[in-house]
Amino acid sequence: MQYSVCNNQIRIYGVSQFNINQILDSGQVFRFKKYKDKYTVIAGNIICYLNYDNEDVIIETNNVDFAIKFFDLDKDYHEIKSKLREHKLLDKAITFGEGLRILKQNPLETIISFIISSNNNIPRIKGIIERLCDYLGEYCGGYRAFPTLEALATVDVEFYRSIGAGYRAEYLAKTVEVINNGFKLDISTLSTEDARRYLMQLSGIGSKVADCILLFAYQRGDVFPMDTWCKRIYRDMELPPTTNIQIMAKRLTDIFGNFSGYAQQYLYYYYRENKIT
DNA sequence: TTCCAGGGATATA
DNA sequence: TATATCCATGGA
């Protein structure tokens, strides 16, 4: 993908490889706002403003190097797309979500966010995370950073309950405590299978949330996070019927290999946007 | 009012 | 190992 940098601005040439709406509305990230044709995304303690300029996308940010990595601008999607288009369901989904990309998010932020996401809807997830940042995030002049581990560790389960996390409050408090006590978030030496088991030791992280973390924070493509939408996707894939989501995920990753996570994102976005039930 | 949401933990067999 | 039930909460 072609882009250029000038001062605090990145210009991406050609919206077909980078569609702001598709990226933000694909359920991988929760700290963003839309106002008319302008978009604001906050990740960690960095803020990015995105908008379209004819055929280009403009990103204005207080940290260009971070934004290039976060939006994964150096990744080429041509091979992924052409390979996945061999499957007829994906051909439709990719045509629909041509400018979708998977972001490279911070592990701790992704862990906390996706524990909150479980059995929850996206507007409410966003609200809980915003309140979390309002209370514990560093003030950065007009916006709040995502809280650091140290800040998260200063509060107890009652705090997480007070921001509306519901029964996930206990998961959050426990997981923060374990990580703060030395649970390492570097999984670079682990296979994806081992890394999934490792992450699932944390409270509130089951197979689906673990796969989201592996995909959105650790760039592991060989996972297929199975939520309620993906069960419908499985149903339409002409595979043997089962109610076991672990088996569903296994069969789907056997088919899509290292591009499973990308396949899942195109399909998830396609099904949810078109309300395919 | 009931149903649903990017599910996980726990008890039970 | 596989299934059933419970869990907060707000929007549809």
Side-chain angles (χ1 to χ4, degrees):
Chain A
M1 194 171 64
Q2 292 215 326
Y3 65 92
S4 64
V5 176
C6 182
N7 296 322
N8 290 328
Q9 187 171 302
I10 304 167
R11 174 179 291 270
I12 299 166
Y13 299 98
V15 297
S16 68
Q17 299 300 305
F18 191 109
N19 185 302
I20 304 170
N21 262 309
Q22 292 172 3
I23 293 167
L24 299 181
D25 286 334
S26 64
Q28 59 181 314
V29 64
F30 302 108
R31 294 199 74 193
F32 65 91
K33 285 180 188 168
K34 197 184 305 181
Y35 181 71
K36 295 187 177 176
D37 290 329
K38 304 255 186 185
Y39 305 79
T40 304
V41 182
I42 303 171
N45 60 357
I46 303 303
I47 191 162
C48 300
Y49 304 96
L50 296 84
N51 66 286
Y52 293 107
D53 180 27
N54 293 319
E55 294 302 305
D56 300 341
V57 172
I58 307 293
I59 303 175
E60 279 184 65
T61 174
N62 48 4
N63 191 327
V64 165
D65 291 337
F66 175 89
I68 290 171
K69 288 178 191 154
F70 180 76
F71 290 105
D72 205 10
L73 298 186
D74 292 317
K75 185 163 195 77
D76 184 9
Y77 275 64
H78 281 102
E79 187 196 354
I80 296 171
K81 288 180 185 173
S82 64
K83 200 75 185 167
L84 289 177
R85 276 187 188 277
E86 292 172 6
H87 306 267
K88 67 179 179 188
L89 191 58
L90 269 153
D91 192 44
K92 272 199 250 177
I94 293 172
T95 299
F96 182 75
E98 176 73 32
L100 202 47
R101 304 179 71 81
I102 293 181
L103 305 177
K104 295 171 90 164
Q105 303 189 62
N106 172 268
L108 179 64
E109 184 166 345
T110 308
I111 287 169
I112 299 299
S113 298
F114 277 88
I115 288 175
I116 292 169
S117 81
S118 71
N119 196 28
N120 211 341
N121 58 64
I122 290 177
R124 186 167 167 240
I125 297 164
K126 293 177 69 168
I128 296 168
I129 293 174
E130 275 322 293
R131 288 189 287 280
L132 179 70
C133 297
D134 284 344
Y135 286 110
L136 298 181
E138 180 196 357
Y139 184 67
C140 298
Y143 68 97
R144 294 272 176 183
F146 193 87
T148 61
L149 175 60
E150 292 70 26
L152 293 168
T154 62
V155 296
D156 62 6
V157 61
E158 288 308 319
F159 167 81
Y160 292 112
R161 207 164 272 138
S162 75
I163 59 171
Y167 59 86
R168 305 165 197 82
E170 293 182 13
Y171 303 158
L172 292 168
K174 281 186 192 170
T175 287
V176 166
E177 185 186 357
V178 170
I179 296 173
N180 195 45
N181 284 339
F183 186 96
K184 299 298 178 196
L185 298 185
D186 177 7
I187 60 157
S188 56
T189 62
L190 300 178
S191 68
T192 297
E193 197 179 337
D194 288 344
R196 179 194 284 107
R197 270 195 289 270
Y198 178 71
L199 291 171
M200 285 174 66
Q201 295 179 91
L202 294 170
S203 181
I205 300 185
S207 60
K208 189 270 174 182
V209 169
D211 286 346
C212 284
I213 296 163
L214 289 167
L215 180 59
F216 301 138
Y218 292 104
Q219 290 71 55
R220 301 292 180 115
D222 50 339
V223 296
F224 199 107
M226 291 299 305
D227 72 343
T228 50
W229 292 98
C230 294
K231 290 176 190 170
R232 297 158 190 159
I233 292 166
Y234 182 89
R235 176 200 60 199
D236 298 340
M237 286 286 293
E238 299 176 359
L239 293 165
T242 175
T243 57
N244 186 317
I245 64 162
Q246 307 262 13
I247 295 174
M248 293 182 193
K250 173 73 166 66
R251 287 182 182 151
L252 290 165
T253 51
D254 282 347
I255 293 172
F256 297 118
N258 287 330
F259 295 156
S260 298
Y262 298 92
Q264 186 269 166
Q265 274 308 96
Y266 288 119
L267 291 167
Y268 171 86
Y269 181 73
Y270 178 66
Y271 270 62
R272 198 164 75 91
E273 289 296 308
N274 291 293
K275 299 178 167 51
I276 299 172
T277 58

